[in-house]
Amino acid sequence: MKDQLEALRLQIQQDVKAAKTLEDLDQIDVKYLGRKGELTAMLKGLANVSAEERPVLGQLANQVKQTGLGLIAARRDELNREKISVIAETERVDVTEPGIRPPEGHLHVMTQTIREITGIFEKIGFYRTRYPEVDWDWYAFEALNMPPEHPARDDWETFFMDAPVSDKKKQGKMVLTPHTSNAQIHELERHEFPIRMLNIAKCYRRQVDATHTPMFHQFEGLYVDKDVNITHLRGVLDYFAKEFFGPGRVSRIRPHHFRFTEPSFEVDFSCGVCNATGKVNGQKCKVCKRGWLELGGAGMVHPNVLKACGVDPKKYSGFAFGWGIERLAMMKEGTQVDDIRILYQNDVRFLKQF
Ligand code: PHE
C-alpha cells in the first residue's frame, strides 16, 4: 500500500505538470483527491491493514493528499498567470494611440451668417433683440405708416393667422411677420434712448421661386437718438461692407420708397469680383452684371412712425435698415448658390461645403 501511495503521488505530480488548462486541473483534483477519487478509495483499504501500520500509512496518505493539493494550487496559479499575460498581450490597449474622430456636424450656413452679422454690429454697440414672429397688424404694418387697405401692403405678401382679431384698440389681425420692421415699433414703444437695435428673425411671405422661400430671415437695424442723420447711416453701411465682405468694399444708396422711412433708399454693395466696374477683362461681370450687388432697404425713420410710438420727431431721429440674410450669404464670394431653396433642403452634400 505504501508503494501504491508513493506511485499515486508520482502520478499526481506528472499529471499536474502536464495539465494545460484550469479545467485539466479540476479533473485531476476530482480523479485523485475527490470524494470518489483514487486516494479516497485507497484510504478505505486502510481498514484491512494491521494496527501498527495503519497510523504510518494514514499519515503517508495525508501527506500525499497535501502534496497533491499543493501541486494543483501552484499549477493553478501558474496557469492563471499565463492566461493573464496572454490577455495582456492580445488585448492590450495603447492608450497613447490617437483616437478616431467621430463624425462631427457643424452649424448651418444661415446660423453661421447670423452669428457673423451679430458680431459685426455688436462691435459698434448694437444689441440683438427678438420680437414675436407672429405679431399684430399694428406692428407689422399700421404703426409703420401703412394704414389698413393701403396698397403698399401688397408688397408684403402676407400670411394672416386664422385667429380672432385683437380686442385692444388698433392691434388688428395677427400675421406671420412679413419683415423684421415690426421690431422697430416694439423698440420705440420702450422709449429708452439711444436705440441701437439689431433684430434678427424669420419672415414669411407667400412666394417661392429661385430667389424666394416662404420662410426666410432678415436682420433689421434701428438707430434712434438725438441728432441722427444720413451720414451716420452711410457710415454704418460702409462699415458693414468692409467687415462682412472685405476691406476693399464700399456701399452706395439709391433713392427708393418705403412708407416707414423718409427719405428711403436701396442699399448696394460694390462687387468684389469686378470692383464695381461691371466688367472683367472687357466682359460683363458674371457675378453682378452691373458692378453692384443689391441687398435691400434703408432710410431715415419716418416721423409718423415715431409719432405712432409716442416719440417726438422734433427731439429724436434715426435710421433703419432691413436686409435678407439668405441673400446676403449668397452674395459672399465663393458661395456659388443660384437657387435659394437649396439652403433649406437639408442636403448634407451641399451644407458641408460651408
Ligand atoms: N422692411 C423692409 C422690407 O422688408 C426693409 C426696410 C427696413 C426698409 C427698414 C427700410 C427700413 O423690404
Side-chain angles (χ1 to χ4, degrees):
M1 182 154 182
K2 191 170 170 238
D3 292 345
Q4 275 180 322
L5 281 169
E6 286 300 346
L8 186 66
R9 193 206 304 256
L10 254 152
Q11 191 62 45
I12 294 175
Q13 220 165 28
Q14 277 174 11
D15 281 12
V16 166
K17 224 174 164 182
K20 295 238 156 38
T21 65
L22 295 168
E23 290 73 42
D24 292 349
L25 283 179
D26 288 342
Q27 271 169 22
I28 294 165
D29 199 349
V30 173
K31 183 174 170 204
Y32 298 112
L33 309 175
R35 270 200 302 129
K36 290 181 181 161
E38 288 179 22
L39 184 68
T40 319
M42 256 181 237
L43 285 175
K44 278 183 192 142
L46 275 181
N48 304 326
V49 300
S50 66
E52 311 98 74
E53 266 184 318
R54 207 176 289 154
V56 183
L57 287 173
Q59 207 180 6
L60 182 61
N62 204 30
Q63 270 176 18
V64 171
K65 182 167 186 168
Q66 293 313 319
T67 316
L69 287 175
L71 287 169
I72 290 173
R75 182 74 182 135
R76 184 167 276 135
D77 262 11
E78 216 172 272
L79 286 176
N80 262 329
R81 251 179 282 120
E82 269 173 32
K83 199 167 160 183
I84 288 168
S85 71
V86 169
I87 290 173
E89 199 45 51
T90 54
E91 296 179 20
R92 187 177 47 190
V93 175
D94 179 357
V95 292
T96 66
E97 193 180 326
I100 301 163
R101 250 181 191 284
E104 205 176 65
H106 67 68
L107 295 175
H108 191 278
V109 56
M110 275 304 107
T111 310
Q112 291 179 38
T113 312
I114 287 170
R115 293 195 178 182
E116 187 179 355
I117 295 165
T118 307
I120 290 172
F121 282 99
E122 277 175 353
K123 274 205 262 175
I124 53 170
F126 280 70
Y127 49 87
R128 171 117 186 241
T129 62
R130 291 198 81 167
Y131 285 106
E133 291 165 4
V134 183
D135 210 349
W136 301 110
D137 180 292
W138 170 259
Y139 294 96
F141 292 117
E142 193 164 345
L144 288 164
N145 201 26
M146 284 186 272
E149 318 301 333
H150 195 282
R153 290 181 171 218
D154 294 351
D155 294 342
W156 286 269
E157 305 201 26
T158 310
F159 290 106
F160 286 90
M161 299 296 291
D162 191 4
V165 170
S166 170
D167 45 12
K168 274 204 199 142
K169 214 178 135 235
K170 281 197 192 159
Q171 286 195 335
K173 288 182 191 164
M174 272 199 146
V175 301
L176 293 185
T177 47
H179 55 176
T180 42
S181 299
N182 64 320
Q184 292 190 29
I185 307 304
H186 287 288
E187 250 336 88
L188 283 163
E189 279 182 344
R190 293 172 53 226
H191 292 191
E192 277 175 33
F193 301 97
I195 293 170
R196 291 197 210 93
M197 171 199 89
L198 180 71
N199 179 51
I200 301 183
K202 295 188 186 76
C203 304
Y204 305 86
R205 293 187 200 174
R206 297 166 52 113
Q207 293 176 330
V208 198
D209 58 37
T211 52
H212 298 93
T213 46
M215 185 287 298
F216 60 102
H217 297 79
Q218 282 189 341
F219 64 114
E220 181 102 3
L222 176 70
Y223 179 33
V224 178
D225 201 358
K226 295 189 171 123
D227 304 319
V228 178
N229 61 50
I230 295 181
T231 60
H232 297 119
L233 171 62
R234 294 287 295 116
V236 168
L237 297 179
D238 273 345
Y239 163 77
F240 182 75
K242 287 179 179 44
E243 290 286 314
F244 188 79
F245 291 110
R249 310 292 284 274
V250 290
S251 68
R252 77 172 181 188
I253 52 175
R254 287 178 288 112
H256 196 71
H257 175 75
F258 293 105
R259 289 283 300 175
F260 37 92
T261 44
E262 180 59 34
S264 300
F265 311 106
E266 284 228 287
V267 179
D268 301 339
F269 292 104
S270 59
C271 172
V273 173
C274 65
N275 212 0
T277 60
K279 290 219 160 66
V280 178
N281 301 329
Q283 304 277 322
K284 209 180 221 176
C285 176
K286 283 207 185 82
V287 173
C288 66
K289 299 188 181 79
R290 48 183 99 71
W292 296 85
L293 301 158
E294 296 171 15
L295 183 57
M300 302 309 291
V301 179
H302 197 292
N304 286 355
V305 173
L306 297 173
K307 276 190 226 156
C309 303
V311 176
D312 184 354
K314 291 202 190 74
K315 254 168 96 182
Y316 289 101
S317 56
F319 66 74
F321 55 82
W323 302 327
I325 296 180
E326 286 79 0
R327 240 182 111 66
L328 183 73
M330 286 161 77
M331 280 159 66
K332 209 163 196 173
E333 264 115 83
T335 318
Q336 237 89 41
V337 176
D338 48 17
D339 190 328
I340 195 170
R341 288 169 291 193
I342 197 168
L343 289 169
Y344 297 116
Q345 281 162 359
N346 280 346
D347 186 333
V348 176
R349 288 167 304 178
F350 167 76
L351 293 174
K352 70 181 177 193
Q353 298 172 59
F354 301 97

